[in-house]
Amino acid sequence: MTDRDRVPDPPAGFVPSGNRGAFSSHNGPYFHRAEMGELTEQAFYALPRHANGIGLVHGGMLTAFLDGLMGSAAYRTTRQTGVTIHLSVDFLHMGRVGEWIMGEAKVTRSTKDVAFVEARAHVQGVDLVRASGIFKLMRRRD
């Protein structure tokens, strides 16, 4: 690991996230707020590998981050795994390498089959991305 790939200590109250699956583990590392509140909160430190050709955090990275964050919020609220069936993303500002990208999500409504979730990613309170998603809630088969 080079110094360019070193992740500093996470913001206060955040701990490393595990059990994210191969895709998210490869994109991370991700962190989440240890204490549960009304919002599901996660974060990642923008490394050079998260950037596009002009040094800004890639829109695909931000989208994948928010998709996973909203899926976590759906699970936390419903206790059922949700898979994305609709995702809408609005890009508002630029994130840069060397910044902590903070995310928060909440379920706005759920039924027995789907959860509706809203999220945002920000740096020091400035919104980078806002997203909404609909997640199909999966039931375990016996």
Side-chain angles (χ1 to χ4, degrees):
M1 177 186 301
T2 68
D3 281 344
R4 289 174 40 100
D5 297 324
R6 192 169 313 279
V7 176
D9 290 338
F14 283 77
V15 297
S17 298
N19 300 323
R20 298 282 308 224
F23 180 82
S24 294
S25 294
H26 176 75
N27 287 341
Y30 293 115
F31 300 82
H32 66 276
R33 184 170 295 282
E35 294 135 15
M36 299 293 189
E38 181 179 320
L39 297 173
T40 299
E41 296 179 88
Q42 296 179 1
F44 74 95
Y45 184 75
L47 296 168
R49 63 188 174 88
H50 297 133
N52 60 21
I54 59 173
L56 302 173
V57 178
H58 195 285
M61 178 62 193
L62 293 169
T63 300
F65 172 63
L66 286 183
D67 184 39
L69 172 62
M70 289 190 293
S72 294
Y75 178 80
R76 209 175 111 197
T77 299
T78 67
R79 290 298 182 225
Q80 293 177 277
T81 299
V83 294
T84 311
I85 57 176
H86 176 78
L87 181 63
S88 178
V89 180
D90 295 314
F91 297 94
L92 307 170
H93 199 64
M94 298 162 283
R96 301 183 187 286
V97 170
E99 294 178 325
W100 277 100
I101 311 297
M102 310 300 291
E104 54 191 45
K106 68 178 179 177
V107 172
T108 58
R109 185 168 76 95
S110 64
T111 69
K112 69 180 184 105
D113 295 316
V114 295
F116 299 84
V117 188
E118 293 180 351
R120 74 180 188 123
H122 61 93
V123 172
Q124 297 180 346
V126 175
D127 284 356
L128 305 180
V129 184
R130 287 198 171 264
S132 62
I134 304 171
F135 292 79
K136 170 70 174 156
L137 300 175
M138 308 300 290
R139 289 174 183 63
R140 290 191 180 252
R141 294 183 181 174
D142 294 330

